[in-house]
Short mmCIF file of all heavy atoms in Angstrom, two decimals:
data_model
loop_
_atom_site.label_atom_id
_atom_site.label_comp_id
_atom_site.label_asym_id
_atom_site.label_seq_id
_atom_site.Cartn_x
_atom_site.Cartn_y
_atom_site.Cartn_z
N ARG P 1419 -86.48 191.33 71.53
CA ARG P 1419 -87.59 190.40 71.18
C ARG P 1419 -87.66 190.18 69.68
O ARG P 1419 -87.90 189.08 69.25
CB ARG P 1419 -88.90 191.00 71.74
CG ARG P 1419 -89.98 189.98 71.85
CD ARG P 1419 -91.17 190.55 72.57
NE ARG P 1419 -90.65 191.48 73.56
CZ ARG P 1419 -91.22 192.59 73.99
NH1 ARG P 1419 -92.38 192.87 73.61
NH2 ARG P 1419 -90.69 193.42 74.83
N LEU P 1420 -87.49 191.25 68.92
CA LEU P 1420 -87.54 191.14 67.43
C LEU P 1420 -86.43 190.22 66.94
O LEU P 1420 -86.68 189.31 66.13
CB LEU P 1420 -87.44 192.53 66.78
CG LEU P 1420 -87.26 192.56 65.30
CD1 LEU P 1420 -88.60 192.31 64.63
CD2 LEU P 1420 -86.65 193.87 64.87
N LEU P 1421 -85.23 190.47 67.40
CA LEU P 1421 -84.09 189.66 66.89
C LEU P 1421 -84.15 188.21 67.37
O LEU P 1421 -83.86 187.30 66.59
CB LEU P 1421 -82.78 190.34 67.31
CG LEU P 1421 -82.49 191.67 66.64
CD1 LEU P 1421 -81.25 192.33 67.28
CD2 LEU P 1421 -82.34 191.55 65.14
N ILE P 1422 -84.49 188.04 68.63
CA ILE P 1422 -84.57 186.63 69.14
C ILE P 1422 -85.72 185.92 68.49
O ILE P 1422 -85.58 184.72 68.14
CB ILE P 1422 -84.66 186.68 70.68
CG1 ILE P 1422 -83.33 187.07 71.30
CG2 ILE P 1422 -85.12 185.33 71.20
CD1 ILE P 1422 -83.28 187.16 72.79
N GLY P 1423 -86.84 186.55 68.30
CA GLY P 1423 -87.99 185.90 67.63
C GLY P 1423 -87.62 185.49 66.23
O GLY P 1423 -88.05 184.44 65.73
N GLN P 1424 -86.82 186.32 65.57
CA GLN P 1424 -86.41 185.99 64.20
C GLN P 1424 -85.53 184.76 64.14
O GLN P 1424 -85.62 183.94 63.22
CB GLN P 1424 -85.69 187.15 63.59
CG GLN P 1424 -85.17 186.91 62.21
CD GLN P 1424 -84.28 188.02 61.71
OE1 GLN P 1424 -83.94 188.97 62.42
NE2 GLN P 1424 -83.90 187.96 60.44
N PHE P 1425 -84.69 184.54 65.15
CA PHE P 1425 -83.79 183.37 65.13
C PHE P 1425 -84.41 182.16 65.75
O PHE P 1425 -83.99 181.03 65.43
CB PHE P 1425 -82.50 183.75 65.86
CG PHE P 1425 -81.65 184.65 65.05
CD1 PHE P 1425 -81.49 185.97 65.39
CD2 PHE P 1425 -81.03 184.20 63.90
CE1 PHE P 1425 -80.76 186.83 64.64
CE2 PHE P 1425 -80.23 185.04 63.15
CZ PHE P 1425 -80.12 186.36 63.53
N LEU P 1426 -85.38 182.30 66.65
CA LEU P 1426 -86.00 181.10 67.28
C LEU P 1426 -86.98 180.47 66.35
O LEU P 1426 -87.24 179.25 66.51
CB LEU P 1426 -86.62 181.48 68.60
CG LEU P 1426 -85.63 181.86 69.74
CD1 LEU P 1426 -86.38 182.03 71.04
CD2 LEU P 1426 -84.55 180.82 69.90
N ARG P 1427 -87.59 181.22 65.46
CA ARG P 1427 -88.56 180.61 64.52
C ARG P 1427 -87.95 179.46 63.73
O ARG P 1427 -88.56 178.36 63.68
CB ARG P 1427 -89.13 181.71 63.63
CG ARG P 1427 -90.41 181.33 63.00
CD ARG P 1427 -91.05 182.51 62.28
NE ARG P 1427 -91.32 183.57 63.22
CZ ARG P 1427 -90.88 184.84 63.12
NH1 ARG P 1427 -90.13 185.18 62.09
NH2 ARG P 1427 -91.17 185.72 64.01
N PRO P 1428 -86.79 179.59 63.11
CA PRO P 1428 -86.22 178.44 62.39
C PRO P 1428 -85.86 177.25 63.31
O PRO P 1428 -85.98 176.12 62.87
CB PRO P 1428 -84.96 179.01 61.71
CG PRO P 1428 -85.15 180.46 61.68
CD PRO P 1428 -86.02 180.83 62.84
N VAL P 1429 -85.50 177.59 64.55
CA VAL P 1429 -85.21 176.47 65.46
C VAL P 1429 -86.45 175.68 65.79
O VAL P 1429 -86.42 174.43 65.77
CB VAL P 1429 -84.52 177.05 66.74
CG1 VAL P 1429 -84.35 175.94 67.79
CG2 VAL P 1429 -83.18 177.65 66.46
N LEU P 1430 -87.55 176.35 65.96
CA LEU P 1430 -88.84 175.66 66.18
C LEU P 1430 -89.27 174.84 64.98
O LEU P 1430 -89.71 173.67 65.13
CB LEU P 1430 -89.95 176.68 66.53
CG LEU P 1430 -89.86 177.27 67.94
CD1 LEU P 1430 -90.87 178.41 68.06
CD2 LEU P 1430 -90.14 176.19 68.95
N ILE P 1431 -89.10 175.41 63.78
CA ILE P 1431 -89.48 174.67 62.56
C ILE P 1431 -88.60 173.44 62.40
O ILE P 1431 -89.08 172.37 62.05
CB ILE P 1431 -89.39 175.61 61.35
CG1 ILE P 1431 -90.49 176.68 61.43
CG2 ILE P 1431 -89.52 174.83 60.04
CD1 ILE P 1431 -90.38 177.82 60.41
N ALA P 1432 -87.32 173.59 62.69
CA ALA P 1432 -86.38 172.45 62.58
C ALA P 1432 -86.77 171.35 63.58
O ALA P 1432 -86.69 170.15 63.27
CB ALA P 1432 -84.96 172.91 62.86
N ASN P 1433 -87.23 171.75 64.76
CA ASN P 1433 -87.68 170.75 65.74
C ASN P 1433 -88.91 170.00 65.27
O ASN P 1433 -89.04 168.81 65.42
CB ASN P 1433 -87.94 171.41 67.09
CG ASN P 1433 -86.70 171.52 67.90
OD1 ASN P 1433 -86.13 170.54 68.33
ND2 ASN P 1433 -86.23 172.76 68.12
N LEU P 1434 -89.83 170.74 64.66
CA LEU P 1434 -91.06 170.10 64.17
C LEU P 1434 -90.75 169.10 63.04
O LEU P 1434 -91.46 168.09 62.91
CB LEU P 1434 -92.09 171.14 63.72
CG LEU P 1434 -92.67 172.01 64.83
CD1 LEU P 1434 -93.58 173.05 64.29
CD2 LEU P 1434 -93.42 171.12 65.83
N VAL P 1435 -89.74 169.41 62.23
CA VAL P 1435 -89.34 168.52 61.17
C VAL P 1435 -88.59 167.32 61.75
O VAL P 1435 -88.75 166.20 61.29
CB VAL P 1435 -88.46 169.27 60.13
CG1 VAL P 1435 -87.83 168.28 59.15
CG2 VAL P 1435 -89.27 170.29 59.38
N ALA P 1436 -87.78 167.55 62.78
CA ALA P 1436 -86.93 166.52 63.36
C ALA P 1436 -87.71 165.52 64.19
O ALA P 1436 -87.32 164.35 64.31
CB ALA P 1436 -85.82 167.14 64.19
N TRP P 1437 -88.82 165.91 64.81
CA TRP P 1437 -89.58 165.00 65.71
C TRP P 1437 -89.98 163.70 65.01
O TRP P 1437 -89.70 162.64 65.53
CB TRP P 1437 -90.80 165.72 66.27
CG TRP P 1437 -90.49 166.61 67.40
CD1 TRP P 1437 -89.30 167.03 67.86
CD2 TRP P 1437 -91.50 167.21 68.24
NE1 TRP P 1437 -89.50 167.89 68.91
CE2 TRP P 1437 -90.79 168.00 69.20
CE3 TRP P 1437 -92.88 167.21 68.29
CZ2 TRP P 1437 -91.44 168.72 70.14
CZ3 TRP P 1437 -93.50 167.90 69.29
CH2 TRP P 1437 -92.80 168.68 70.22
N PRO P 1438 -90.69 163.73 63.84
CA PRO P 1438 -91.03 162.49 63.22
C PRO P 1438 -89.85 161.65 62.79
O PRO P 1438 -89.88 160.44 62.93
CB PRO P 1438 -91.87 162.90 62.01
CG PRO P 1438 -92.17 164.28 62.16
CD PRO P 1438 -91.20 164.87 63.10
N LEU P 1439 -88.80 162.30 62.30
CA LEU P 1439 -87.62 161.55 61.90
C LEU P 1439 -86.95 160.88 63.10
O LEU P 1439 -86.49 159.70 63.04
CB LEU P 1439 -86.60 162.49 61.20
CG LEU P 1439 -87.10 163.14 59.93
CD1 LEU P 1439 -86.12 164.14 59.40
CD2 LEU P 1439 -87.38 162.07 58.86
N ALA P 1440 -86.82 161.59 64.20
CA ALA P 1440 -86.25 161.06 65.39
C ALA P 1440 -87.12 159.93 65.94
O ALA P 1440 -86.59 158.91 66.44
CB ALA P 1440 -86.05 162.13 66.44
N TYR P 1441 -88.41 160.08 65.88
CA TYR P 1441 -89.33 159.05 66.41
C TYR P 1441 -89.14 157.73 65.63
O TYR P 1441 -89.02 156.65 66.19
CB TYR P 1441 -90.79 159.52 66.31
CG TYR P 1441 -91.74 158.47 66.81
CD1 TYR P 1441 -91.97 158.38 68.19
CD2 TYR P 1441 -92.44 157.64 65.96
CE1 TYR P 1441 -92.82 157.40 68.69
CE2 TYR P 1441 -93.32 156.70 66.46
CZ TYR P 1441 -93.54 156.58 67.79
OH TYR P 1441 -94.38 155.63 68.28
N VAL P 1442 -89.07 157.84 64.30
CA VAL P 1442 -88.90 156.64 63.47
C VAL P 1442 -87.56 156.02 63.74
O VAL P 1442 -87.42 154.78 63.86
CB VAL P 1442 -89.08 157.00 61.97
CG1 VAL P 1442 -88.65 155.85 61.05
CG2 VAL P 1442 -90.50 157.36 61.71
N ALA P 1443 -86.47 156.83 63.80
CA ALA P 1443 -85.16 156.28 64.06
C ALA P 1443 -85.07 155.65 65.44
O ALA P 1443 -84.49 154.53 65.58
CB ALA P 1443 -84.11 157.44 63.98
N MET P 1444 -85.68 156.24 66.46
CA MET P 1444 -85.63 155.66 67.78
C MET P 1444 -86.45 154.36 67.84
O MET P 1444 -86.03 153.39 68.51
CB MET P 1444 -86.13 156.67 68.85
CG MET P 1444 -85.21 157.82 69.02
SD MET P 1444 -83.57 157.31 69.57
CE MET P 1444 -83.89 156.59 71.12
N ARG P 1445 -87.60 154.31 67.21
CA ARG P 1445 -88.42 153.07 67.21
C ARG P 1445 -87.65 151.95 66.53
O ARG P 1445 -87.66 150.81 66.98
CB ARG P 1445 -89.75 153.29 66.45
CG ARG P 1445 -90.76 154.12 67.15
CD ARG P 1445 -91.09 153.77 68.56
NE ARG P 1445 -91.87 152.60 68.77
CZ ARG P 1445 -91.86 151.96 69.94
NH1 ARG P 1445 -91.07 152.36 70.91
NH2 ARG P 1445 -92.56 150.90 70.17
N THR P 1446 -86.99 152.26 65.45
CA THR P 1446 -86.21 151.27 64.72
C THR P 1446 -85.07 150.77 65.57
O THR P 1446 -84.81 149.57 65.63
CB THR P 1446 -85.64 151.86 63.40
OG1 THR P 1446 -86.77 152.34 62.65
CG2 THR P 1446 -84.92 150.82 62.60
N TRP P 1447 -84.35 151.67 66.24
CA TRP P 1447 -83.25 151.29 67.07
C TRP P 1447 -83.67 150.50 68.29
O TRP P 1447 -83.09 149.49 68.64
CB TRP P 1447 -82.46 152.53 67.51
CG TRP P 1447 -81.24 152.25 68.32
CD1 TRP P 1447 -80.14 151.55 67.95
CD2 TRP P 1447 -81.07 152.65 69.69
NE1 TRP P 1447 -79.25 151.49 69.00
CE2 TRP P 1447 -79.76 152.16 70.08
CE3 TRP P 1447 -81.77 153.37 70.58
CZ2 TRP P 1447 -79.29 152.37 71.36
CZ3 TRP P 1447 -81.27 153.59 71.84
CH2 TRP P 1447 -80.03 153.09 72.19
N LEU P 1448 -84.76 150.97 68.92
CA LEU P 1448 -85.23 150.27 70.12
C LEU P 1448 -85.88 148.94 69.83
O LEU P 1448 -85.98 148.07 70.73
CB LEU P 1448 -86.26 151.18 70.89
CG LEU P 1448 -85.64 152.44 71.54
CD1 LEU P 1448 -86.78 153.30 72.07
CD2 LEU P 1448 -84.71 152.05 72.66
N ALA P 1449 -86.31 148.67 68.62
CA ALA P 1449 -86.90 147.40 68.24
C ALA P 1449 -85.89 146.27 68.32
O ALA P 1449 -86.25 145.12 68.46
CB ALA P 1449 -87.50 147.48 66.85
N GLY P 1450 -84.61 146.58 68.32
CA GLY P 1450 -83.56 145.60 68.38
C GLY P 1450 -83.29 145.07 69.80
O GLY P 1450 -82.51 144.14 70.00
N PHE P 1451 -83.94 145.59 70.82
CA PHE P 1451 -83.73 145.17 72.19
C PHE P 1451 -84.88 144.30 72.64
O PHE P 1451 -86.04 144.46 72.21
CB PHE P 1451 -83.64 146.39 73.12
CG PHE P 1451 -82.40 147.24 72.87
CD1 PHE P 1451 -82.45 148.37 72.06
CD2 PHE P 1451 -81.20 146.86 73.43
CE1 PHE P 1451 -81.32 149.11 71.85
CE2 PHE P 1451 -80.06 147.58 73.22
CZ PHE P 1451 -80.13 148.72 72.40
N ASP P 1452 -84.58 143.40 73.54
CA ASP P 1452 -85.64 142.49 74.06
C ASP P 1452 -86.59 143.24 75.00
O ASP P 1452 -87.80 143.00 74.94
CB ASP P 1452 -85.00 141.33 74.84
CG ASP P 1452 -84.23 140.40 73.88
OD1 ASP P 1452 -84.63 140.33 72.76
OD2 ASP P 1452 -83.24 139.77 74.35
N ASP P 1453 -86.05 144.10 75.84
CA ASP P 1453 -86.91 144.87 76.76
C ASP P 1453 -87.36 146.14 76.04
O ASP P 1453 -86.57 147.05 75.86
CB ASP P 1453 -86.19 145.21 78.05
CG ASP P 1453 -85.86 144.00 78.84
OD1 ASP P 1453 -86.57 143.00 78.77
OD2 ASP P 1453 -84.81 144.02 79.54
N GLN P 1454 -88.62 146.18 75.69
CA GLN P 1454 -89.17 147.34 74.96
C GLN P 1454 -89.53 148.44 76.01
O GLN P 1454 -90.07 148.16 77.03
CB GLN P 1454 -90.42 146.95 74.15
CG GLN P 1454 -90.13 145.93 73.09
CD GLN P 1454 -89.26 146.48 71.98
OE1 GLN P 1454 -89.48 147.59 71.57
NE2 GLN P 1454 -88.31 145.70 71.52
N ILE P 1455 -89.28 149.69 75.65
CA ILE P 1455 -89.71 150.86 76.45
C ILE P 1455 -90.56 151.69 75.55
O ILE P 1455 -90.39 151.74 74.30
CB ILE P 1455 -88.55 151.63 77.03
CG1 ILE P 1455 -87.69 152.24 75.96
CG2 ILE P 1455 -87.74 150.77 77.96
CD1 ILE P 1455 -86.73 153.30 76.49
N ALA P 1456 -91.44 152.45 76.16
CA ALA P 1456 -92.31 153.35 75.39
C ALA P 1456 -91.55 154.68 75.17
O ALA P 1456 -90.85 155.18 76.05
CB ALA P 1456 -93.59 153.61 76.17
N LEU P 1457 -91.75 155.21 73.99
CA LEU P 1457 -91.14 156.54 73.65
C LEU P 1457 -92.16 157.61 74.12
O LEU P 1457 -93.23 157.70 73.50
CB LEU P 1457 -90.92 156.66 72.18
CG LEU P 1457 -89.58 156.20 71.69
CD1 LEU P 1457 -89.44 156.37 70.19
CD2 LEU P 1457 -88.43 156.90 72.36
N SER P 1458 -91.80 158.33 75.09
CA SER P 1458 -92.69 159.39 75.59
C SER P 1458 -92.42 160.65 74.83
O SER P 1458 -91.33 160.98 74.43
CB SER P 1458 -92.38 159.62 77.09
OG SER P 1458 -93.02 160.77 77.56
N PRO P 1459 -93.55 161.44 74.59
CA PRO P 1459 -93.35 162.75 73.95
C PRO P 1459 -92.51 163.70 74.78
O PRO P 1459 -91.96 164.67 74.27
CB PRO P 1459 -94.78 163.28 73.78
CG PRO P 1459 -95.66 162.13 74.02
CD PRO P 1459 -94.91 161.11 74.77
N LEU P 1460 -92.39 163.41 76.09
CA LEU P 1460 -91.58 164.27 76.92
C LEU P 1460 -90.09 164.31 76.50
O LEU P 1460 -89.40 165.35 76.70
CB LEU P 1460 -91.66 163.82 78.38
CG LEU P 1460 -93.03 164.04 79.04
CD1 LEU P 1460 -93.02 163.49 80.45
CD2 LEU P 1460 -93.39 165.51 79.06
N TYR P 1461 -89.61 163.27 75.91
CA TYR P 1461 -88.21 163.25 75.41
C TYR P 1461 -88.07 164.26 74.32
O TYR P 1461 -87.06 164.99 74.31
CB TYR P 1461 -87.84 161.85 74.92
CG TYR P 1461 -87.86 160.75 75.95
CD1 TYR P 1461 -88.50 159.57 75.68
CD2 TYR P 1461 -87.24 160.92 77.18
CE1 TYR P 1461 -88.59 158.53 76.63
CE2 TYR P 1461 -87.30 159.90 78.13
CZ TYR P 1461 -87.97 158.73 77.85
OH TYR P 1461 -88.03 157.76 78.76
#
């Protein structure tokens, strides 16, 4: 638990940093299509 917790913490932080960047990138890419779809937080 100690070792895994130590390594999963940076992965969680990286995900929190990546979410807004991925959201902006996906919105920009999806804006080029005629049929718009909603970006769900589930992705």
Side-chain angles (χ1 to χ4, degrees):
R1419 197 170 330 149
L1420 172 77
L1421 293 173
I1422 287 179
Q1424 179 187 3
F1425 288 107
L1426 290 186
R1427 198 170 300 124
V1429 173
L1430 285 171
I1431 292 169
N1433 275 293
L1434 292 177
V1435 170
W1437 281 11
L1439 298 174
Y1441 180 80
V1442 169
M1444 291 303 295
R1445 288 309 288 156
T1446 304
W1447 181 63
L1448 290 172
F1451 292 97
D1452 292 333
D1453 294 331
Q1454 299 291 319
I1455 63 167
L1457 271 180
S1458 170
L1460 291 177
Y1461 299 130

